[in-house]
Amino acid sequence: MTTTTSSRLLRLLSLLQMRKDWPGAELADRLEVSARTVRRDVDRLRELGYPIQATMGIGGGYQLGAGAALPPLLLDDDEAVAVAVGLRTAAQGGVSGIEETSVRALAKLLQVLPSRLRRRVDALGTFTVPMPGRGPTVEADVLALVAGACRDGERLRFDYERHDGTTSRRVTEPHRLVSRGRLWYLMAWDNERDDWRTFRVDRMRPLTPTGPRVPPRDPPEQGVAAYMAERMNLHMWTERARVRLFIGAREAVERGIAEYARVEPVDDSSCVVEVASDSLMVMACYLAMYDVEMRVEEPGELREEMRTLAARLQRAADGGDRRLGRSDTR
């Protein structure tokens, strides 16, 4: 095989990986060869293990499919660096069971990277200091099983550990997996509650085999991301409050307040935020970080927690020692 032919095969493979379907005539134009040459090159790629499907007729073309074995992938510079960074991150992330596999895959990739790309990846590894994260991790096989149920539209049964430690059996129609920081969530239709629900994947113990296929349901109108944000920011917590901020809703959004609260416009100079937490004291501390004038509308218990917090901060600022009943003025 000549160098020209080899280069053309790589170019053809790159094109097939860019799009799902390619008309034969368009491939020939891109490669500046005849349709017959394209057919011969496709046959050569098939011999190398690439499962390329062909459709005949006026609208016919070629499609790169999935095969029984994994053929080599063709990545451009940015894609190769992105994969290397992703593997390095996966080796330190919140999915257990893939750390060693990620390291092996990264070693193989670094071995074949051109020196100019290896320097970019090495720089990230050399001058980045990972801090081991605390918190729950998700088993890789559990994550893969849940993702497969979402993909195949199959019912999923699992035992679920609630926030209070109790366990319940859930029957769901999984829709999407959502990652937030180190945590993974499943958004699914709960068949018993006849509504959408969210579940922490690290608290799920899936039961196999998965159930029968079910018709897809329309997701919530606001979309998956907005729905999940509202569930995680408000509905999953025991304590909720409404607080008026004396800034406009647009400014509240620009300050990032809407990331963890629901913002309701009132007028040009004020808005109401709805916030939630598992503790009113934690909520008081969080609201204090807004650094804006505000007024608690409800509940009254939050006002008491704010008074307690304010008094504690005042004593700290004055250098007081409540245990000794005096101020240290030395």
Side-chain angles (χ1 to χ4, degrees):
M1 188 182 299
T2 66
T3 303
T4 301
T5 302
S6 299
S7 300
R8 192 176 64 244
L9 286 179
L10 289 175
R11 173 63 176 156
L12 173 59
L13 180 58
S14 178
L15 290 172
L16 289 172
Q17 290 177 341
M18 287 172 58
R19 260 174 39 183
K20 182 178 180 180
D21 297 295
W22 279 95
E26 188 172 347
L27 283 176
D29 290 340
R30 289 289 192 100
L31 298 172
E32 298 180 348
V33 296
S34 66
R36 182 179 179 183
T37 300
V38 171
R39 289 195 295 271
R40 287 202 303 264
D41 288 348
V42 166
D43 289 336
R44 292 190 180 100
L45 289 176
R46 286 170 175 160
E47 292 173 0
L48 294 174
Y50 292 94
I52 302 174
Q53 303 165 1
T55 55
M56 309 303 293
I58 297 177
Y62 300 96
Q63 179 183 82
L64 182 62
L70 180 65
L73 295 176
L74 188 63
L75 303 174
D76 62 28
D77 288 3
D78 291 337
E79 290 170 342
V81 172
V83 171
V85 173
L87 288 170
R88 193 183 296 276
T89 303
Q92 305 159 352
V95 181
S96 63
I98 65 169
E99 298 90 349
E100 182 180 349
T101 306
S102 300
V103 171
R104 291 203 311 267
L106 178 61
K108 292 179 180 179
L109 180 59
L110 291 177
Q111 186 177 6
V112 298
L113 280 181
S115 59
R116 67 182 188 280
L117 301 183
R118 194 181 304 116
R119 285 195 297 270
R120 291 169 61 183
V121 176
D122 287 344
L124 284 168
T126 303
F127 296 98
T128 301
V129 179
M131 289 187 63
R134 293 184 299 174
T137 58
V138 178
E139 297 292 336
D141 55 349
V142 171
L143 202 61
L145 187 149
V146 175
C150 293
R151 177 198 61 205
D152 299 333
E154 296 177 341
R155 277 207 179 107
L156 182 65
R157 298 176 303 125
F158 52 88
D159 291 329
Y160 189 69
E161 182 181 343
R162 300 188 185 94
H163 184 70
D164 60 5
T166 60
T167 303
S168 63
R169 178 69 51 85
R170 313 302 281 266
V171 180
T172 66
E173 298 173 16
H175 181 66
R176 288 292 186 274
L177 279 169
V178 178
S179 63
R180 190 183 196 187
R182 290 177 57 89
L183 295 178
W184 288 83
Y185 297 85
L186 170 66
M187 174 180 166
W189 182 265
D190 191 312
N191 293 95
E192 293 184 3
R193 290 157 179 78
D194 199 30
D195 197 4
W196 292 101
R197 289 289 188 271
T198 58
F199 305 94
R200 281 251 306 262
V201 180
D202 60 285
R203 294 178 180 170
M204 295 170 52
R205 297 294 177 267
L207 304 174
T208 56
T210 53
R213 291 198 173 192
V214 291
R217 294 181 182 272
D218 292 330
E221 293 183 2
Q222 67 266 48
V224 173
Y227 174 84
M228 291 293 293
E230 182 172 317
R231 295 292 303 182
M232 288 186 281
N233 291 341
L234 297 176
H235 297 289
M236 65 188 299
W237 304 108
T238 55
E239 304 288 350
R240 299 176 69 169
R242 290 175 59 84
V243 180
R244 178 170 293 216
L245 305 183
F246 294 100
I247 57 174
R250 176 177 294 182
E251 183 177 349
V253 171
E254 291 174 350
R255 291 192 182 199
I257 293 174
E259 185 175 355
Y260 296 103
R262 177 191 291 160
V263 178
E264 302 174 5
V266 176
D267 50 43
D268 292 340
S269 59
S270 67
C271 62
V272 170
V273 294
E274 188 174 0
V275 293
S277 176
D278 59 352
S279 163
L280 288 175
M281 176 52 74
V282 171
M283 191 184 298
C285 294
Y286 174 69
L287 288 168
M289 292 190 297
Y290 282 177
D291 193 26
V292 299
E293 296 297 321
M294 65 183 69
R295 182 180 69 232
V296 175
E297 296 194 346
E298 58 180 355
E301 292 81 1
L302 178 58
R303 300 190 190 99
E304 293 301 320
E305 293 291 351
M306 284 187 158
R307 293 188 183 99
T308 300
L309 176 62
R312 184 178 300 129
L313 293 175
Q314 185 65 58
R315 289 193 298 272
D318 293 342
D321 189 334
R322 183 176 184 181
R323 293 172 301 171
L324 301 179
R326 62 180 175 82
S327 294
D328 188 356
T329 58
R330 291 178 295 173

